[in-house]
Amino acid sequence: MAELAAGLQEDRTCDSARRAHKTECDAAGLYVHVPFCRSKCRYCGFYSVPAAGRDTGRLVRALLTELDRHEGAAFRTAYVGGGSPTALPAEQLIGLVRRVRERFGRIEEFTVECNPGQVEPELLEGLREAGVDRLSLGAQSFHAAELERLGRWHSVEEIGHSVAMARQAGFDNLGLDLIFAIPGSTLEDWRYSIEAAIALNIRHISAYSLSFEPGTVFDRWRRAGRLEAVDEELDRTMYEWAVERLERAGLEQYEISNFARRRFECRHNLGYWQNRPFVGIGPGAASYWRGRRREHDPDIERYVAAVEDGLEPPGSVQTASADDAICETAVLNLRMRGGIDLAAFRQRTGHDAMETFAEPIRRHRELGHLDVTSRTIRLTWQALPIADAILCDFSSLD
Amino acid sequence: MLELTGTITARQAKAQILDDMDIERERGITIKASGVTMEYEYDGQTYMLNLIDTPGHVDFHYEVSRALTACEGALLVVDASQGVQAQTVANAYLATESEAEILAVINKVDLSAAEPDRVAEEIEHVLGIRKNECFRISAKSGLGVEELLEAICELLPPPADRRDEPTRALIFDSHYDEYRGVICYIRVFSGSLKLRQKIRLMGEGRTYQITELGKFRPDMRPCDTLGCGEVGYVIANIRSLSDVWVGDTITDDARPAPDALKGYHPPMQMVFSDFYPGNNTDYLRLRDAFDRLALNDASFSFVPQNSPALGFGFRCGFLGLLHMEIIQERLERENDIDVVQTAPTVSYEVLLRDGTVKRIDSPSELPDRSHVEEIREPFVKLELITTSDTIGGIMKLADARRCKLLKSDYLSPTRVMLEYKAPLAEIVYDFYDLIKGISHGYATMDYEFTGFEAGELVKIDILVNGVPVEALSLIVHRSSAELRGRKLIIKLKRSIPRHQFEVPLQVAIGGKIIARETIKAYRKDVTAKLYGGDVTRKMKVLKRQKEGKRRMKSVGNVQIPQEAFMSVLDTSD
């Protein structure tokens, strides 16, 4: 009750955040975080721990309990990610998915992240039957040596097998994640992976430049001099080549790192970049709900203990100010190839983006970084590889 | 001494009782002179002893010479384990110049590392004070202190009796107290000062009424009268910081003295550095803080400065590097103001074609080459005392810094005094740290300004993206100009961030480009993954990126961070 009152109080103070919530509430997303992996990959900065020896069933029960607290919310998309959801025993993962479906009947897109080498026909059929309609496969590379370097434990062959199995189980909406600029890689290596992905006739590809996340093995190795980041010029060439090649293959770039055939864009992720509300379930998960950004602490034990005691999972809450909401919306929107839709921006924030960001817009237009029409503001093609240098000027209002 | 004379009790005794600034106790040094009055029974009479504790470091000669002007004698204290230091020699010369009697005192003789005999030899050898006349004491245990006190009564001359002459009191120091206003530290040379007396500051001209006067025992203890020869303090409702200058003479307004006491030579400032408030809104606070510091420290000066690159700030003059460091630290500590400071430079004399001589404190003030006949740089007489096994390293460094050896003198089989003629610019920045390093901390150094001399000096200009940046230029000797210029742009290359375009950095000497580096354009600056959970963190990173851009100074369309301006005088690799 107190929380509700606090929420109402904030709703009154954060006009634009409230506006965003009200108009977009029925397009909210649900994210479920499964913090287990078979083993930790060397580049991965997401919260996960090896599943071996863990009471995964207890965590799943806690996830379901937390989920029940949101009964009645009208989620349109759901996404089960991690970690590796497929590190859970098949019946636990299927049970989790089924419960989400039962609770939230209006879900129109339901994605589960899968790891090649961790899927088999029964699991995939079970997921399909439980209501999953989209799979995101963590392929990362089609080079055995690169997979090895990344600390992945699946083989190149298993990627193809997993795709075949998924199609067999009735999935035609498949996404594939790829990583480029892996230390030691060449442009040829990257081209090979992209061509292999295109050859599989995948409808959605995410192509991420490898980043050195704090706390990862790669980050440690780089600081110790054991590993060298790919030269920036090569990184850029790889990126530009991928954009060009994927578009040629009919996979349009719809966000800085995401490419899809028409109507196969990931709606759940689009929600993030449109700055729509979402609820995150599980340890380490984040939410943006009623104008507040909440983040659960990445700690399985404390999460489970709190949920079992009927308490809020430990974490932090930040109320987004009206200015924060405006800036976040602009920054996130600009990551999409469609950029800021001026009408949608006004509806969501109550502000005119052209007016609010007049100064950075003027400067970056002059520098050829922004394309402005009567309806949209978007990054130009040449601005994409240096997007942060432009987006930072939209990060605050002074 | 304070204990034996009953000025303080054993219980009150703590190390460094007269050093009341935090910074003094932390560094184990004395920066400001401070006074204390003691009484001592000797030979059936009570002697009043006024002691002024002074700094020993090379940068604070001015404080020492001021204190000496107020004194009849000086105790030259030498550490029994460390021996004669370069500043010991310098301070002994100062005392001799001001005609004060010197008593040489070897302290800490009870330490296991003490070598009082060797130290006495050194004193005799260097200062010409006979070794059997040195007092051997332990201030800690009190050993020998009685004898020293007796010698002070016996050997040092009492103040001249000028009780009946018009009042003249020398202000040898002052400080500002938030509640009581300005407190002047004074020595009465003639006549006397009384409570509620109307006084006049002879140099400044204004009159005041004494509201409190007293002695240091060692805390401030009010009394009604300060007589001829006495040392104490005066409070007289002096509110404004700029109304008093140290070195001025106080006289009786009703019966003024005809002449003021001999004041002080204005101190020679040799090192200059620009201070800018870290935050532009602190400009006036910085000004107030400098006002306060300048009041207590006549050897520090500041004038407003406006740099196209760094905004509004002040050009400050210092006696030396330690002095500069201390001002900076006091500024931050006592006023809580963050300052951005440029690398220190020395002052030059420029002879123009029309025959006039101009003093410049910054390379940016150097007139156009076509008007300059010659550039003169300050030279010093440098004294170094070091151990004989480290002499090779020291001489090599001195040689690399254009120092000319004038003489070397073995103080003892293991200790050597080296005397050099050195360009101040070469020793002002990191020289002292380097000789400390070479000698494992043993070497001591002192220097004395000797004059300006013409040299083969050239100005190095740095062009960033084709635009000369004055705040980055420097004056150096021709022999090292090219190397310095090359090193500097390599440093700048490290500190100036990449832009969306290539940024050439060029070194020009005499209008001719001699070196170039290029800061490559950045090619990639984008977050690959940004989903719901990353928003808060990512927004913070972007805000920081924006903030970082804003803190940099635009020169043309290039953003230069403040560290870059600091790298100018850094000669390390």
Side-chain angles (χ1 to χ4, degrees), chain A residues 208 232 235 257 273 369 385 388, chain B residues 498 500 524-525 527-528 531:
Chain A
Y208 301 114
E232 226 181 58
D235 185 327
S257 303
W273 302 314
H369 295 151
D388 286 3
Chain B
R498 291 184 300 160
Q500 287 154 36
K524 198 91 199 299
D525 181 13
T527 306
Y531 296 104

Side-chain angles (χ1 to χ4, degrees), chain A residues 208-209 232-233 235-236 257-258 269 272-273 278 286 293 295 318 324 331-332 335 369 385-389 392-393 395-396 398, chain B residues 498 500 520-540 542-547 549-550:
Chain A
Y208 301 114
S209 170
E232 226 181 58
E233 198 64 51
D235 185 327
R236 181 166 171 149
S257 303
N258 285 279
N269 287 342
Y272 293 135
W273 302 314
F278 62 92
R293 293 204 180 265
E295 206 173 302
Q318 264 191 321
D324 286 343
V331 166
L332 292 165
R335 286 186 66 90
H369 295 151
I386 53 164
D388 286 3
C392 71
D393 291 326
S395 65
S396 60
D398 44 272
Chain B
R498 291 184 300 160
Q500 287 154 36
K520 285 207 293 190
Y522 62 73
R523 301 290 292 154
K524 198 91 199 299
D525 181 13
V526 59
T527 306
K529 281 189 183 186
L530 207 172
Y531 296 104
D534 316 316
V535 173
T536 311
R537 246 180 308 274
K538 189 61 202 171
M539 289 303 286
K540 268 188 201 147
L542 289 172
K543 276 182 194 166
R544 218 177 304 139
Q545 189 171 350
K546 181 179 176 183
E547 225 11 76
K549 273 204 222 171
R550 195 179 319 181

Side-chain angles (χ1 to χ4, degrees), chain B residues 417-431:
Chain B
M417 181 158 94
L418 302 171
E419 201 177 295
Y420 281 100
K421 180 178 167 188
L424 181 63
E426 298 282 353
I427 61 163
V428 86
Y429 188 60
D430 53 359
F431 190 79

Side-chain angles (χ1 to χ4, degrees), chain A residues 20-93:
Chain A
H21 184 255
K22 239 186 148 179
T23 53
E24 305 298 332
C25 209
D26 53 351
L30 172 69
Y31 176 77
V32 180
H33 190 72
V34 178
F36 296 117
C37 278
R38 180 161 143 179
S39 65
K40 191 82 194 158
C41 298
R42 291 172 183 146
Y43 60 91
C44 174
F46 289 107
Y47 175 56
S48 72
V49 296
R54 294 279 179 158
D55 188 349
T56 55
R58 194 172 164 200
L59 185 264
V60 171
R61 281 193 298 280
L63 292 176
L64 296 177
T65 306
E66 199 196 352
L67 199 63
D68 288 346
R69 296 180 187 166
H70 295 278
E71 199 168 354
F75 299 122
R76 283 275 190 86
T77 61
Y79 194 108
V80 180
S84 312
T86 47
L88 290 175
E91 71 281 2
Q92 287 179 9
L93 179 56

Side-chain angles (χ1 to χ4, degrees), chain B residues 230-451:
Chain B
E230 289 193 285
V231 172
Y233 65 88
V234 165
I235 301 173
N237 260 326
I238 307 174
R239 297 242 160 256
S240 167
L241 299 171
S242 52
D243 286 347
V244 166
W245 68 70
V246 171
D248 203 352
T249 301
I250 294 177
T251 191
D252 186 18
D253 186 48
R255 192 190 160 211
D259 316 298
L261 293 161
K262 198 176 104 202
Y264 308 109
H265 298 295
M268 176 76 86
Q269 284 157 355
M270 280 296 148
V271 177
F272 294 84
S273 172
D274 293 352
F275 282 60
Y276 295 89
N279 185 339
N280 282 336
T281 54
D282 277 345
Y283 178 82
L284 287 176
R285 286 185 59 215
L286 183 60
R287 216 212 126 75
D288 283 350
F290 278 149
D291 261 335
R292 274 194 297 277
L293 287 168
L295 176 80
N296 287 352
D297 184 349
S299 43
F300 161 71
S301 73
F302 64 100
V303 290
Q305 176 88 358
N306 182 11
S307 147
L310 295 166
F312 290 95
F314 300 92
R315 168 144 284 247
C316 302
F318 306 94
L319 302 176
L321 281 181
L322 180 69
H323 186 208
M324 181 180 81
E325 262 177 51
I326 280 164
I327 292 276
Q328 188 194 12
E329 213 171 313
R330 287 185 63 188
L331 196 63
E332 299 199 352
R333 206 180 280 216
E334 292 164 23
N335 300 281
D336 190 31
I337 300 173
D338 284 329
V339 291
V340 173
Q341 187 196 337
T342 62
T345 61
V346 301
S347 164
Y348 293 90
E349 261 183 20
V350 183
L351 175 63
L352 299 173
R353 290 265 147 86
D354 63 11
T356 55
V357 174
K358 190 181 169 200
R359 180 93 178 254
I360 61 163
D361 299 334
S362 154
S364 61
E365 295 167 23
L366 189 69
D368 188 82
R369 254 178 330 128
S370 59
H371 301 293
V372 176
E373 186 66 41
E374 64 182 32
I375 304 174
R376 298 167 184 162
E377 65 177 324
F379 274 80
V380 295
K381 190 176 91 178
L382 174 71
E383 273 160 4
L384 289 164
I385 294 181
T386 190
T387 51
S388 43
D389 56 328
T390 58
I391 191 170
I394 300 256
M395 287 175 89
K396 199 171 151 208
L397 173 68
D399 201 43
R401 297 297 181 88
R402 298 190 285 130
C403 302
K404 278 202 193 74
L405 186 64
L406 301 177
K407 69 174 187 194
S408 62
D409 189 3
Y410 274 81
L411 307 182
S412 70
T414 56
R415 302 206 338 134
V416 187
M417 181 158 94
L418 302 171
E419 201 177 295
Y420 281 100
K421 180 178 167 188
L424 181 63
E426 298 282 353
I427 61 163
V428 86
Y429 188 60
D430 53 359
F431 190 79
Y432 193 51
D433 288 343
L434 291 173
I435 66 158
K436 280 283 179 195
I438 293 169
S439 66
H440 314 292
Y442 283 111
T444 54
M445 151 180 151
D446 206 329
Y447 60 80
E448 189 188 347
F449 173 69
T450 51

